Amino acid sequence: MNLFADIRSLVIDSLNAMSAEGVLPEGLEFSNVAVEPPRDPLHGDMATNAAMVLAKPAKMKPRDIAEKLSEKLAADARIETVDVAGPGFINLRLSEAVWSGLVETVLTTEGFGRSTLGAQKKVNVEYVSANPTGPMHVGHTRGAVFGDALASLLDFAGYDVTREYYINDGGAQVDVLARSVFERYREAHGLSPEIAEGLYPGDYLVPVGEALKEKYGDSLLDKPEEEWLADVRVFATDAMMAMIRDDLKMLGVEMDRFFSEKSLYNTGLIETAIKELDEKGLIYRGVLEPPKGKMPEDWEPREQTLFKSTAHGDDVDRPIQKSDGAWTYFAPDIAYHYDKVKRGYDVIIDVFGADHGGYVKRMKAAVSALSDGKVDCDIKLIQLVKLFKNGAPFKMSKRAGTFVTLRDVVEQAGKDVTRFIMLTRKNDASLDFDFDKVLEQSKDNPVFYVQYAHARICSVLRKAEAQGITLSDTPRFDDSAEIAVARKLADFPRQVEIAAKGHEPHRIAFYLYDLASDFHALWNKGNENEALRFLQDDAELSAAKIALPRAVAVVISAGLAILGVTPAEEMR
RNA sequence: GCACCUUUAGCUCAGCUGGAUAGAGCGCUGCCCUCCGAAGGCAGAGGCCAGAGGUUCGAAUCCUCUAAGGUGCACCA
């Protein structure tokens, strides 16, 4: 149920009727007609721009259209009052029955806010995709939370969602990992490890070395690298992925699928993907121009195999093979996205760190080329997280040992707080994360503020139960503050759709804050006016008054579920 | 030199894809508990939406240019 959509349908029906009656010309385009909450609630519950949007195509004055439309709308039982304001806005005030019906719907139907917007189209959300060479750090954390919440949001909005992780296990960095682990393996045998420059020094590899000893004993010690490298590589990446999965689990992130880059090699998938592009005339041998303005020192003209990505919106064509004939890293990426296209996704979303901004155009070009423009590819870039402690910047440095991992953050702040805070900024704006502030119990902390609203409601329900009150799904309104809360509830399905369309889960977090705010305001009004308290002397009246906060709790829970946050029943 | 992102109240940020008098938190000023949780609420002050043009009934939002900051710019993954 989406009240805004319902009223919009009413507006559209009325407009069609006007066309049929000859008041409006036939064949007008109504897609721009919107029904939205007015900026100022004094104007009413909803407003439509219909008259202004149609003035030009209908060759009529906005006010004239508005007057006629108003008459039609006023005839509907749901509409209490209609008035025309400003340049031609039509403000609607809905009858109280609509609001009580809404609350009843929230309480009695499963999944209020769910949408059919996605029409079960298949969406692939790829996120995290951290290299399997170490633990996840804070930067990964934000991408993980964002991707996960986006996936949940799209699911809620009616898409068929797959959560996917791309394991970069095909490149040289996993050789480095294997060598690093081998040194820890030697260490496990009492030999002093030689952590050469360029190897991974982190002591998280110590237990991996020990585990390697468990499995192989001393049998690898005297062998040359080429004999152990492949085995150790597999062993080490498996160990790293196990660690990463544990980290993700702490955050409440569970993937549907892990896709290994390595699996692309030796299966012919890269060749097939490139061949596909070749058949579209998008592969050629050529020499790239050097970048203008800045000449790399070692630049020399080289003939390479290139992907004509400029045909699909990129700035320059991109090499897919090195001069020695080996694939560039871009080639498996193409193959991977080719695989996604072949798996039949309608929408492909990649969540990258902002430092990968340079790859956006080429990836979109690849998907566009591989799917003949049929698959929608969106790439979300996640900006940095800046850590603070007590308001002071908290420097992160691998070398100094103050390397803050996902695990550190979750252990200190908790899963729910971490997730919520990570979603209180747009993905393309950087985010300040203050270890002290996020645990603070004040309205300055949005997580607390929302949880507090939910906890207050739970408190009321506990008391109601203790009093033996039989709950009712039919609310009773005595004040505009209650209507304000109901109005905000009606906005939930709409916000879900807006957020889903824009791939912007942060909107849900902001919505919940607003809802909590309206609820707290109502609560406090009860301090001055006893008639507005939820618990009354009369049990039947209490039951009716409690319906609204119950509905708020339902929506808060649903919204938090999208964000992957567990609602709090009480604060402590 | 070229791409992409950012610029909104003193500070940190929203702003429903072009709508009415641009919003919230912090900070500042003044109020509200014989109270269902004041861990809250109400009210006030605070703005040339970085700047300049343009598009139209209407622009923080779309286009162009400029300025400041960030990220990335051939075989590295």
Side-chain angles (χ1 to χ4, degrees):
Chain A
M1 176 195 186
N2 182 336
L3 211 47
F4 288 89
D6 292 351
I7 299 300
R8 182 172 184 275
S9 298
L10 172 65
V11 171
I12 301 295
D13 289 348
S14 305
L15 291 170
N16 278 322
M18 286 163 69
S19 287
E21 292 163 15
V23 180
L24 282 175
E26 298 276 352
L28 286 175
E29 174 65 41
F30 295 145
S31 59
N32 284 332
V33 173
V35 174
E36 299 178 331
R39 193 180 300 260
D40 187 342
L42 290 175
H43 292 144
D45 299 318
M46 293 185 183
T48 179
N49 60 356
M52 289 181 294
V53 172
L54 297 176
K56 190 179 247 182
K59 299 196 175 81
M60 293 172 67
K61 286 181 186 161
R63 298 283 306 198
D64 292 345
I65 300 177
E67 296 297 340
K68 298 269 170 33
L69 181 55
S70 297
E71 290 169 25
K72 295 265 182 219
L73 296 176
D76 192 274
R78 289 167 292 183
I79 308 295
E80 185 81 31
T81 61
V82 184
D83 53 23
V84 180
F89 281 102
I90 299 173
N91 292 323
L92 307 172
R93 193 165 295 280
L94 306 185
S95 69
E96 199 176 289
V98 172
W99 300 120
S100 48
L102 174 87
V103 170
E104 211 163 323
T105 302
V106 173
L107 292 174
T108 56
T109 60
E110 199 66 35
F112 174 75
R114 281 193 175 274
S115 168
T116 53
L117 177 76
Q120 289 305 310
K121 280 195 281 188
K122 289 182 69 177
V123 184
N124 183 289
V125 185
E126 180 210 327
Y127 56 108
V128 190
S129 298
N131 285 346
T133 55
M136 294 181 56
H137 56 75
V138 271
H140 296 126
T141 308
R142 189 176 176 193
V145 171
F146 175 88
D148 200 54
L150 174 57
S152 299
L153 170 64
L154 292 173
D155 177 86
F156 200 70
Y159 290 88
D160 178 8
V161 180
T162 303
R163 297 155 196 258
E164 194 155 312
Y165 184 121
Y166 181 60
I167 309 171
N168 283 107
D169 55 2
Q173 82 279 11
V174 287
D175 288 344
V176 175
L177 174 73
R179 291 187 193 107
S180 309
V181 167
F182 190 77
E183 291 305 319
R184 296 302 185 180
Y185 166 74
R186 294 183 66 243
E187 187 179 24
H189 281 93
L191 302 164
S192 57
E194 294 163 24
I195 312 292
E197 188 72 27
L199 293 189
Y200 300 116
D203 50 14
Y204 58 87
L205 293 178
V206 172
V208 183
E210 282 163 3
L212 192 62
K213 178 187 169 190
E214 284 289 311
K215 183 172 178 188
Y216 288 96
D218 59 5
S219 66
L220 303 179
L221 275 180
D222 299 320
K223 287 188 179 164
E225 181 179 294
E226 55 269 26
E227 285 181 36
W228 54 256
L229 187 62
D231 286 346
V232 175
R233 198 163 47 200
V234 170
F235 187 87
T237 49
D238 284 353
M240 291 300 102
M241 285 311 297
M243 185 172 70
I244 287 171
R245 278 178 214 238
D246 279 353
D247 285 354
L248 289 173
K249 204 167 179 184
M250 281 188 81
L251 242 199
V253 174
E254 282 204 49
M255 296 290 170
D256 296 314
R257 179 163 184 167
F258 287 84
F259 193 103
S260 157
E261 176 193 353
K262 202 172 61 186
S263 74
L264 292 166
Y265 298 97
N266 309 319
T267 55
L269 198 58
I270 296 179
E271 289 76 6
T272 310
I274 301 303
K275 193 173 158 227
E276 182 98 5
L277 292 176
D278 198 13
E279 282 165 5
K280 297 176 194 292
L282 295 170
I283 300 293
Y284 69 101
R285 297 283 296 174
V287 180
L288 287 175
E289 294 288 315
K292 290 192 171 62
K294 191 199 78 171
M295 175 71 88
E297 301 219 347
D298 59 344
W299 196 89
E300 55 183 70
R302 269 187 280 255
E303 196 190 56
Q304 297 168 297
T305 306
L306 301 168
F307 164 45
K308 199 171 168 53
S309 55
T310 50
H312 287 267
D314 202 357
D315 304 314
V316 289
D317 293 338
R318 305 290 175 178
I320 54 166
Q321 266 182 331
K322 305 178 196 174
S323 49
D324 67 0
W327 299 117
T328 64
Y329 81 94
F330 186 41
D333 279 348
I334 292 174
Y336 175 42
H337 283 76
Y338 172 73
D339 187 72
K340 288 190 202 174
V341 169
K342 283 294 156 197
R343 276 188 269 155
Y345 292 107
D346 302 293
V347 183
I348 292 173
I349 301 174
D350 293 346
V351 179
F352 291 165
D355 53 343
H356 287 67
Y359 305 113
V360 171
K361 285 190 179 179
R362 76 188 67 170
M363 284 322 310
K364 285 189 173 183
V367 171
S368 173
L370 290 166
S371 70
D372 294 320
K374 290 190 185 104
V375 172
D376 178 31
C377 176
D378 189 17
I379 298 182
K380 305 299 277 188
L381 298 178
I382 307 299
Q383 267 295 349
L384 296 176
V385 176
K386 293 179 194 161
L387 293 175
F388 290 82
K389 200 158 178 56
N390 276 322
F394 188 74
K395 287 276 184 245
M396 194 165 78
S397 152
K398 276 187 192 177
R399 205 172 295 165
T402 55
F403 173 65
V404 180
T405 62
L406 175 148
R407 188 163 285 266
D408 294 336
V409 175
V410 175
E411 277 172 357
Q412 283 199 45
K415 179 205 79 164
D416 290 332
V417 167
T418 303
R419 291 187 63 119
F420 196 102
I421 294 293
M422 293 281 177
L423 291 165
T424 52
R425 286 291 102 95
K426 297 183 284 207
N427 59 288
D428 49 12
S430 66
L431 171 100
D432 293 350
F433 190 99
D434 190 313
F435 281 105
D436 300 296
K437 209 167 186 178
V438 298
L439 293 176
E440 202 174 281
Q441 303 210 335
S442 75
K443 67 186 294 193
D444 192 19
N445 179 356
V447 198
F448 165 76
Y449 190 72
V450 172
Q451 294 281 35
Y452 183 36
H454 189 266
R456 274 180 153 174
I457 296 166
C458 290
S459 168
V460 168
L461 291 176
R462 280 192 296 270
K463 286 196 165 70
E465 194 181 354
Q467 292 176 23
I469 292 171
T470 308
L471 298 175
S472 161
D473 296 330
T474 309
R476 175 192 157 116
F477 295 105
D478 294 296
D479 191 88
S480 63
E482 294 167 322
I483 300 289
V485 171
R487 196 188 289 128
K488 190 65 76 179
L489 292 175
D491 201 29
F492 181 56
R494 194 171 149 270
Q495 290 296 336
V496 166
E497 293 196 351
I498 291 167
K501 280 181 194 163
H503 302 162
E504 296 171 327
H506 75 277
R507 287 184 188 276
I508 302 300
F510 282 94
Y511 166 77
L512 291 175
Y513 186 90
D514 283 348
L515 175 61
S517 176
D518 284 346
F519 176 75
H520 286 309
L522 172 60
W523 179 286
N524 273 82
K525 252 188 158 174
N527 283 342
E528 294 156 23
N529 181 356
E530 293 191 16
L532 295 182
R533 293 184 193 164
F534 304 125
L535 293 172
Q536 301 284 335
D537 291 336
D538 179 75
E540 209 170 304
L541 182 57
S542 294
K545 298 304 275 182
I546 292 170
L548 180 64
R550 277 171 61 219
V552 171
V554 167
V555 171
I556 289 179
S557 298
L560 288 178
I562 293 173
L563 308 184
V565 175
T566 310
E569 311 229 327
E570 57 183 332
M571 310 304 296
R572 44 176 100 243

